[in-house]
Structure formats: C-alpha cells, structure tokens
Amino acid sequence: MNTTLRKAVPGDEHAFVKIKQQLPLTMTDGTTSTGGFLLGTDEETYLEYINNCICLVAETAQEVVGFGIIFPDHVLRGSDIWQRRHSAQWYIDLGTYESQRLGYFEQFAFLRGYKRSAVLLAYNIARHAYLSGCETIFTTTVNKPILNLAAIPFIDAANGIKAGNIDEVYPLIGQINSDIYLVTAADFFSKAKAHPLYPFCAENTLDIQY
C-alpha cells in the first residue's frame, strides 16, 4: 500500500501520541516494554511543534504511520535545548557552529514495516530544512537508561559526526545520557546521492511551504 507525505496539521498530535505509545522501549539492561522512547512529549507539546516547527507525517490509507520534527533556528535558540548547550561535553568547536543558521532534529518515529517511507520522510524533511537556509542540523540519541539507536543509520547515511555528549535529568525518568550528532548541509547533499534509495527519494520529493 502506498505511503504519502504531507505537512503535519493540528489534529495530527493525537496520532503522534498513538505512535509513540506503540514504540518499543529498550533499557540498557536488555529489558523491553512498550510506551515509547520519545521523552517529554504529550499532545499539547506536539501541537506546539506542529504549529511552530518543520513537521512532516507519512500516512497510508489516511492513517499516520510516522512523523518527523525539526526545530528551525529561531525555535532552537528559544528552547531549553539551546540553554543547556554549555552543559554538554563537546568534541567540536561549538563557537564555529553557533554563528550558523541551525536546526535540531527533535523527533523521528515510525511504526514497524515502513522502512522505505521512513527514509523518504527523513530525506524530505532534512532537504527542506537545508534548502530553507539551515547550515547544520544537530540531534541527540539516548544511551542511558534507554537505548535508542533508531537514528544512527540515517546519521551515518548523511555522513554525520558525533559532536558531543550530555547528561540530563528528565521528570519521571531521572538521569539520562545522550550523544550529540551533527550533519552539515554539504555532507547531506553529497552523501544522500550515494544511498541505495536515493532515486526513490529524488522521485518523491515534497514541495513544502511554511
């Protein structure tokens, strides 16, 4: 069954929470449960993202099966994430990037069985962010106590680099540790063409207006 992409609209937040609740949760001790690894998000937060961020959904037969959210530069710089940047251990010269126009890949989630659609959405949302003027996109992957490696293949495919590490405390979860990655626009556009699914993505690019 064909999957299509579109810009997220108010009302999709219900589907986002539903998807989140179906995702497996893998702890570092090897145990798993359901409930999702997307931290600190409820319907109100998702609605705020839909209204203020770059947010795409994938749907099949009018059912949302995946979504992606990127903070544009002005949202990132007004976020708690930006305020906490000096708490991180950086492997890069952060000052070099602070003067750039940045993005932050906040969330990316898909139900099982939609790998091609996930690649297509990842390509389209990043492509739009970069074509809109973003020079570098940052993201984080959680290591402890939740192990979330879902984004690593996408980061590797875009020649992303590990840029830092940060310890944080989340309500109801406690202490977490995350790696910080970055992908530059130049690396994205040069490496994306080498991906096996690039012809499929190139034929199905989405003209997004925000």
Side-chain angles (χ1 to χ4, degrees):
M1 189 175 294
N2 291 336
T3 302
T4 59
L5 303 186
R6 62 170 173 81
K7 178 183 174 181
V9 296
D12 286 331
E13 66 273 12
H14 310 302
F16 290 6
V17 171
K18 184 178 178 180
I19 289 173
K20 172 183 173 179
Q21 292 171 342
Q22 295 181 64
L23 295 173
L25 182 69
T26 303
M27 307 300 287
T28 52
D29 63 4
T31 61
T32 61
S33 64
T34 58
F37 56 77
L38 305 178
L39 305 177
T41 42
D42 53 21
E43 287 193 1
E44 182 179 358
T45 304
Y46 279 131
L47 180 58
E48 181 180 349
Y49 291 164
I50 289 169
N51 287 329
N52 297 289
C53 301
I54 303 169
C55 188
L56 298 186
V57 303
E59 60 182 5
T60 298
Q62 298 184 326
E63 177 187 2
V64 176
V65 297
F67 63 90
I69 301 166
I70 291 180
F71 289 1
D73 187 83
H74 70 280
V75 173
L76 172 60
R77 292 178 190 271
S79 70
D80 290 341
I81 296 167
W82 187 256
Q83 298 303 318
R84 296 196 301 268
R85 69 192 186 282
H86 295 304
S87 300
Q89 176 187 2
W90 292 99
Y91 313 141
I92 58 170
D93 179 2
L94 182 60
T96 300
Y97 295 90
E98 287 180 315
S99 61
Q100 294 184 4
R101 189 172 178 184
L102 305 174
Y104 180 78
F105 215 133
E106 163 64 16
Q107 291 188 12
F108 184 78
F110 264 81
L111 299 178
R112 289 185 176 181
Y114 294 95
K115 182 178 180 179
R116 284 170 65 91
S117 300
V119 173
L120 180 61
L121 191 148
Y123 172 79
N124 270 274
I125 194 170
R127 175 180 178 272
H128 174 72
Y130 290 126
L131 290 180
S132 297
C134 179
E135 297 172 79
T136 300
I137 293 176
F138 285 83
T139 195
T140 56
T141 62
V142 180
N143 296 319
K144 299 178 182 179
I146 303 164
L147 184 62
N148 176 17
L149 302 178
I152 301 300
F154 298 97
I155 295 169
D156 289 343
N159 205 33
I161 65 169
K162 188 180 292 186
N165 183 272
I166 187 168
D167 289 312
E168 301 173 279
V169 177
Y170 274 76
L172 304 180
I173 296 176
Q175 190 77 25
I176 72 169
N177 176 266
S178 303
D179 286 325
I180 304 168
Y181 291 84
L182 68 81
V183 178
T184 67
D187 281 338
F188 172 80
F189 284 111
S190 65
K191 297 296 290 187
K193 294 180 180 179
H195 194 282
L197 289 179
Y198 176 74
F200 167 69
C201 293
E203 292 175 4
N204 292 279
T205 54
L206 184 65
D207 183 17
I208 311 165
Q209 300 297 324
Y210 277 87

